[in-house]
Coordinates of all heavy atoms in Angstrom, one line a residue:
L10 N 4.1 8.1 -2.5 CA 4.3 9.1 -3.6 C 3.2 8.9 -4.7 O 2.7 9.9 -5.2 CB 5.7 9.0 -4.2 CG 6.8 9.4 -3.3 CD1 8.2 9.1 -3.8 CD2 6.7 10.9 -2.9
F44 N 6.7 -8.4 13.0 CA 5.4 -7.9 13.2 C 4.3 -8.8 12.6 O 3.1 -8.5 12.7 CB 5.2 -6.5 12.5 CG 6.2 -5.5 13.2 CD1 7.3 -5.1 12.5 CD2 5.9 -4.9 14.4 CE1 8.2 -4.2 13.1 CE2 6.8 -4.0 15.0 CZ 7.9 -3.6 14.3
G96 N -7.9 5.7 2.2 CA -7.9 4.3 1.9 C -8.0 4.0 0.4 O -7.3 3.2 -0.2
Q121 N 9.0 8.1 -13.9 CA 10.5 7.8 -14.1 C 11.3 8.4 -13.0 O 12.3 7.8 -12.5 CB 10.9 8.4 -15.5 CG 10.3 7.7 -16.7 CD 10.6 6.2 -16.7 OE1 11.7 5.8 -16.3 NE2 9.6 5.4 -17.0
R153 N -4.7 -14.5 0.4 CA -5.2 -15.7 -0.4 C -5.9 -15.2 -1.7 O -5.7 -15.7 -2.8 CB -6.1 -16.6 0.4 CG -6.8 -17.7 -0.3 CD -5.9 -19.0 -0.4 NE -5.0 -19.0 -1.5 CZ -3.8 -19.5 -1.5 NH1 -3.3 -20.1 -0.5 NH2 -3.0 -19.5 -2.6
Q171 N 9.5 -2.9 -16.3 CA 10.2 -2.6 -17.5 C 10.7 -1.2 -17.5 O 11.6 -0.8 -18.2 CB 9.3 -2.8 -18.7 CG 9.0 -4.3 -19.0 CD 8.2 -5.1 -18.0 OE1 7.2 -4.6 -17.6 NE2 8.7 -6.2 -17.5

Side-chain angles (χ1 to χ4, degrees):
L10 294 169
F44 299 102
Q121 293 302 321
R153 176 86 272 150
Q171 286 68 51

